Amino acid sequence: AQSVTQLGSHVSVSEGALVLLRCNYSSSVPPYLFWYVQYPNQGLQLLLKYTSAATLVKGINGFEAEFKKSETSFHLTKPSAHMSDAAEYFCAVSGGRGGADGLTFGKGTHLIIQP
Amino acid sequence: DGGITQSPKYLFRKEGQNVTLSCEQNLNHDAMYWYRQDPGQGLRLIYYSQIVNDFQKGDIAEGYSVSREKKESFPLTVTSAQKNPTAFYLCASKEGYSTDTQYFGPGTRLTVL
């Protein structure tokens, strides 16, 4: 069974500051990990994914995440926050139920950007 | 343009009525999914389908039903047995391997009056 824990339902940072959104996972099989972003009343858009290649993964909009097996973590970072980054962010894990399995999501982190 | 469409965007239902949410994709993906999103709860898997004429229950299938008669279509019916159906429903699809990206539709917001 898999699970995802996102620490902090709301994170507030100043424009230009570092963004750090935390994600810890639990998986009984080698995990594939994803970060998605959601703007109000819209679907989810993929930011980046880890599929057992490089542990540091670069995504869109300047975001990146590092897979740390020893810490079972996949934290999302961005060096300098922009007002347009304000959104809901979801970490998700895949790896069960065979090849076309669904994702298990964390509860999400709402990122607030202060001007 | 390739993508996933969901309709309608907003849907209102009276208690005791069944309602069907549409999901269509032209990405030629084998696998399709339905998720339910509630505030502060993340997304939870309702049903998924790996191939035509086959589907499996997810974590919260009670009160829902699906069909997969065509590769591009995966409609979800919310039945009167679903005790708390007011939510945001998201459809997704992917090619079929665990490493593949799931692509999401724009969602349908269902409100029970």
Side-chain angles (χ1 to χ4, degrees), chain B:
Chain B
D1 288 339
I4 303 174
T5 57
Q6 292 185 242
S7 61
K9 186 170 179 63
Y10 298 95
L11 187 57
F12 298 90
R13 190 195 89 176
K14 294 182 180 179
E15 282 192 32
Q17 288 182 337
N18 292 355
V19 64
T20 298
L21 282 61
S22 170
C23 177
E24 303 276 332
Q25 55 99 0
N26 61 4
L27 300 168
N28 200 34
H29 286 169
D30 290 313
M32 296 187 73
Y33 308 82
W34 275 105
Y35 293 91
R36 170 181 171 139
Q37 184 178 17
D38 296 282
Q41 295 296 316
L43 281 73
R44 292 178 289 170
L45 183 65
I46 305 172
Y47 268 99
Y48 64 107
S49 169
Q50 299 182 18
I51 57 173
V52 174
N53 293 321
D54 186 49
F55 48 83
Q56 290 79 39
K57 293 181 179 180
D59 301 314
I60 56 165
E62 185 176 352
Y64 300 98
S65 66
V66 294
S67 63
R68 186 87 186 274
E69 298 177 0
K70 299 186 294 183
K71 186 176 185 178
E72 60 270 24
S73 178
F74 190 41
L76 173 74
T77 296
V78 184
T79 75
S80 57
Q82 169 49 233
K83 295 180 180 179
N84 185 21
T86 295
F88 192 51
Y89 292 87
L90 288 157
C91 178
S93 72
K94 75 173 183 181
E95 288 192 56
Y97 296 98
S98 292
T99 57
D100 292 331
T101 299
Q102 282 195 21
Y103 293 91
F104 284 81
T108 292
R109 186 166 298 281
L110 173 64
T111 302
V112 173
L113 303 173

Side-chain angles (χ1 to χ4, degrees), chain A residues 73-101:
Chain A
S73 69
F74 190 56
H75 301 332
L76 181 71
T77 61
K78 182 174 180 178
S80 178
H82 191 271
M83 295 298 290
S84 61
D85 294 328
E88 191 85 15
Y89 291 80
F90 293 96
C91 181
V93 63
S94 175
R97 303 190 184 99
D101 47 312

Side-chain angles (χ1 to χ4, degrees), chain A residues 15-87:
Chain A
E15 190 174 18
L18 172 71
V19 175
L20 171 60
L21 304 183
R22 301 178 186 273
C23 172
N24 288 90
Y25 71 90
S26 172
S27 178
S28 56
V29 297
Y32 304 122
L33 295 157
F34 304 78
W35 273 101
Y36 283 88
V37 61
Q38 184 182 36
Y39 298 97
N41 291 313
Q42 294 186 22
L44 275 65
Q45 179 184 6
L46 181 74
L47 280 176
L48 49 80
K49 65 179 180 181
Y50 167 76
T51 59
S52 74
T55 57
L56 182 62
V57 181
K58 294 188 183 297
I60 62 171
N61 301 338
F63 285 94
E64 64 181 35
E66 185 173 9
F67 173 71
K68 292 186 177 180
K69 184 177 179 180
S70 61
E71 298 177 7
T72 60
S73 69
F74 190 56
H75 301 332
L76 181 71
T77 61
K78 182 174 180 178
S80 178
H82 191 271
M83 295 298 290
S84 61
D85 294 328

